[in-house]
Amino acid sequence: MRLFPDHWKTDSVSELCTDVVDCVNKTAPVVDGPTEYKMIRTTNVKAGRINLDDCRYVDEATFVKWTRRIQPKRNDIVLTREAPLGEVGLLRSDESVFLGQRTMLYRANPKKLDQRFLYYSMLGPFVQGQIRSQGSGATVEHLRVPDAESFLVAYPPLEEQRRIAALLSAYDDLIANNQRRIALLESMAEEIYREWFVRMRFPGAKSAVFVKGVPTDWTHEPILNAFKFYGGATPARDNPRFWVDGDVHWYTPTDITGASSPYLEESADKCTDEGLQNCSANLFPAYSIMMTSRATIGAIGINCAPACTNQGFITCIPNQRYPLTYLYHWLKLAKPHFEMLSGGATFAELTKGTFKRIRILTPPEKLVAAYEQQARPMFEQVELLTKTNRRLRATRDALIPRLISGKLRVEALDIQFPPSMQPPPAEAAQRGEAIAS
């Protein structure tokens, strides 16, 4: 039984690409401060995206050295060969980046293969199945470079490839547009917070009396007296009753650091009620603020349903005096202070004992309520866009295996090519020649 329509072909990825390049970086020295030169690590590639918010930086000399073989550019595809295995991402910007360890770069030959079609093919079950079956390793699954250069790709004629890629890219463009709106709304809410509570240019500031830069009617309250907060724990992993068919959201720091929005609808792992009852984790209400407190200090997220966490968190519960929007931004902007207070022999940790002794800046209740009134609609819109993106991703992911296998035909569909697939004039002419030949 054929897996693909008769007019489709199957070739190795190396035959269909002008470049299939493995990482040559082994000991690239990183620098502490941000620079314009960024390293793509395996942890930056997840769920079809390359997120460089949490990346490592190098100086210009290192960047030049490690891009002599090839410099990644917009629309290049990156595959992770290990830790984790098989994640695929599309580079969507013109940032100065280079490959970190255990990564591969793919650049399609435009006369044979559309780059976006290759990207979606690598996300699909045919290629992912090959990657998983070829992965090996006693402790950590990894893909050898020769296998990463030789997996098979099934493909139709170029014009059909482009139509398939256009349909899927339309979903990705909507998701990207919503992500930009989320970032803008987050930035607006944070800017108002900074203006009122950091720069002290709040409504009525001109008539306020200040002492040492703080209005006399503002206080610094001990966190212990301000709001409730909880730590976390992990049910025994070797007991299947604590995990199999669990429906209790149980968050780990990876859920937070890998998220594209502060609002989190679902955790990667879920424990059972029995597991929750047999550990010291606390089930806290929806719309609490989860802050990582081990190794990575100060990454925060908001749970959309009741949840618990592992021991790498301090979770803060908003209340009327310290509502969600105010507490969220106070925690976010206090990250450098939390990092300074963190200690630990093997990894940094902000303990609950240290956290409870911190004091939180507390303006008059009316001023905090006024900020909540302005910021809350922005937060609600962020949550709405987050849920919309989840639905868009689910639809796209359901379409990918059907479209890149030829089971869902596109010839009769009126497909408009999205902006992200509109090539520059020179590239468009090259594609026209390729199709004609």
Side-chain angles (χ1 to χ4, degrees), residues 232-235 237 243 248-257 259 262-271 281-282 284-285 288 290-292 301-313 315:
T234 302
R237 282 290 193 179
W243 297 99
V248 178
H249 295 287
W250 180 79
Y251 285 95
T252 69
T254 303
D255 290 314
I256 307 295
T257 56
Y263 281 95
L264 301 168
E265 296 185 84
E266 190 173 22
S267 58
D269 292 327
K270 295 182 181 66
C271 65
N282 294 279
F284 44 81
S288 300
M290 303 175 289
M291 182 181 75
T292 58
I302 302 167
N303 56 303
C304 294
C308 59
T309 70
N310 75 357
Q311 51 270 41
F313 285 87
T315 298

Side-chain angles (χ1 to χ4, degrees), residues 10-202:
T10 303
D11 287 308
S12 71
V13 69
S14 60
E15 294 177 290
L16 297 170
C17 289
T18 57
D19 298 286
V20 178
V21 180
D22 65 299
C23 163
V24 296
N25 160 42
K26 301 301 180 186
T27 57
V30 298
V31 297
D32 293 333
T35 71
E36 63 179 293
Y37 307 107
K38 302 177 179 181
M39 181 194 303
I40 300 177
R41 296 182 292 160
T42 57
T43 53
N44 298 125
V45 185
K46 185 176 181 180
R49 300 170 56 243
I50 298 177
N51 187 341
L52 296 172
D53 291 343
D54 181 26
C55 68
R56 292 182 179 174
Y57 302 89
V58 298
D59 58 24
E60 184 178 8
T62 300
F63 176 76
V64 171
K65 177 180 179 180
W66 294 115
T67 54
R68 284 175 181 167
R69 186 173 177 186
I70 191 168
Q71 181 175 338
K73 64 180 183 179
R74 182 187 291 267
N75 284 327
D76 280 346
I77 301 164
V78 177
L79 170 73
T80 63
R81 295 194 297 108
E82 181 183 318
L85 170 66
E87 290 287 352
V88 178
L90 186 72
L91 190 60
R92 299 176 184 273
S93 70
D94 293 312
E95 295 180 273
S96 298
V97 298
F98 71 102
L99 298 178
Q101 294 183 18
R102 303 181 296 276
T103 59
M104 298 283 297
L105 179 146
Y106 299 84
R107 191 175 293 168
N109 181 342
K111 295 183 178 180
K112 298 180 178 180
L113 203 63
D114 180 83
Q115 183 76 359
R116 289 291 183 98
F117 180 85
L118 174 60
Y119 165 64
Y120 292 116
S121 293
M122 291 176 65
L123 288 172
F126 182 58
V127 172
Q128 283 291 315
Q130 296 175 71
I131 291 172
R132 300 296 171 184
S133 65
Q134 293 168 347
S136 61
T139 56
V140 178
E141 277 191 311
H142 68 272
L143 185 70
R144 299 183 312 122
V145 170
D147 293 329
E149 295 172 334
S150 60
F151 60 77
L152 300 176
V153 177
Y155 60 99
L158 266 171
E159 185 56 30
E160 189 175 343
Q161 293 176 38
R162 295 199 68 227
R163 291 171 67 82
I164 292 170
L167 182 56
L168 294 169
S169 291
Y171 284 92
D172 277 333
D173 282 5
L174 287 172
I175 293 168
N177 184 56
N178 286 341
Q179 282 301 136
R180 287 190 290 270
R181 293 171 65 189
I182 287 172
L184 179 60
L185 288 162
E186 285 189 86
S187 178
M188 289 169 60
E190 182 176 324
E191 181 60 23
I192 298 172
Y193 180 94
R194 288 180 180 274
E195 185 73 1
W196 287 20
F197 305 117
V198 178
R199 305 184 190 105
M200 299 297 174
R201 293 198 283 258
F202 52 88

Side-chain angles (χ1 to χ4, degrees), residues 158-378:
L158 266 171
E159 185 56 30
E160 189 175 343
Q161 293 176 38
R162 295 199 68 227
R163 291 171 67 82
I164 292 170
L167 182 56
L168 294 169
S169 291
Y171 284 92
D172 277 333
D173 282 5
L174 287 172
I175 293 168
N177 184 56
N178 286 341
Q179 282 301 136
R180 287 190 290 270
R181 293 171 65 189
I182 287 172
L184 179 60
L185 288 162
E186 285 189 86
S187 178
M188 289 169 60
E190 182 176 324
E191 181 60 23
I192 298 172
Y193 180 94
R194 288 180 180 274
E195 185 73 1
W196 287 20
F197 305 117
V198 178
R199 305 184 190 105
M200 299 297 174
R201 293 198 283 258
F202 52 88
K206 290 184 179 179
S207 60
V209 178
F210 288 79
V211 175
K212 295 183 178 180
V214 179
T216 54
D217 58 345
W218 294 27
T219 61
H220 286 84
E221 298 295 330
I223 282 178
L224 193 61
N225 301 330
F227 53 83
K228 292 180 180 179
F229 60 91
Y230 301 109
T234 302
R237 282 290 193 179
D238 59 356
N239 190 333
R241 296 201 314 272
F242 294 171
W243 297 99
V244 175
D245 297 326
D247 59 2
V248 178
H249 295 287
W250 180 79
Y251 285 95
T252 69
T254 303
D255 290 314
I256 307 295
T257 56
S260 58
S261 165
Y263 281 95
L264 301 168
E265 296 185 84
E266 190 173 22
S267 58
D269 292 327
K270 295 182 181 66
C271 65
T272 62
D273 287 326
E274 184 180 0
L276 177 62
Q277 297 303 320
N278 281 273
C279 73
S280 59
N282 294 279
L283 187 69
F284 44 81
Y287 305 106
S288 300
I289 305 171
M290 303 175 289
M291 182 181 75
T292 58
S293 59
R294 284 187 176 183
T296 298
I297 306 294
I300 55 179
I302 302 167
N303 56 303
C304 294
C308 59
T309 70
N310 75 357
Q311 51 270 41
F313 285 87
I314 292 174
T315 298
C316 304
I317 315 301
N319 55 36
Q320 184 174 347
R321 189 68 181 87
Y322 301 92
L324 175 68
T325 58
Y326 182 86
L327 187 54
Y328 175 90
H329 285 109
W330 181 80
L331 289 166
K332 183 178 181 180
L333 271 61
K335 178 180 178 178
H337 184 61
F338 297 151
E339 290 174 330
M340 183 183 67
L341 295 176
S342 300
T346 56
F347 50 78
E349 179 176 11
L350 178 66
T351 66
K352 287 195 296 180
T354 299
F355 185 73
K356 72 181 181 181
R357 292 193 294 271
I358 298 172
R359 292 177 176 268
I360 179 171
L361 179 65
T362 306
E365 188 169 358
K366 287 185 177 181
L367 184 59
V368 174
Y371 174 71
E372 168 79 354
Q373 188 176 15
Q374 287 208 25
R376 173 64 74 168
M378 301 177 195

Side-chain angles (χ1 to χ4, degrees), residues 92 116 119-120 163-180 388-400 403 408 413 415-421:
R92 299 176 184 273
R116 289 291 183 98
Y119 165 64
Y120 292 116
R163 291 171 67 82
I164 292 170
L167 182 56
L168 294 169
S169 291
Y171 284 92
D172 277 333
D173 282 5
L174 287 172
I175 293 168
N177 184 56
N178 286 341
Q179 282 301 136
R180 287 190 290 270
T388 299
N389 273 358
R390 175 182 53 78
R391 291 191 292 269
L392 288 169
R393 289 190 183 98
T395 303
R396 178 203 60 190
D397 293 346
L399 284 171
I400 285 175
L403 285 168
L408 181 61
L413 299 179
I415 297 175
Q416 302 296 318
F417 287 88
S420 64
M421 284 193 66

Side-chain angles (χ1 to χ4, degrees), residues 404-430:
I404 63 168
S405 66
K407 293 178 181 177
L408 181 61
R409 305 298 292 268
V410 297
E411 291 90 336
L413 299 179
D414 181 18
I415 297 175
Q416 302 296 318
F417 287 88
S420 64
M421 284 193 66
Q422 298 296 336
E427 186 178 336
Q430 183 182 16

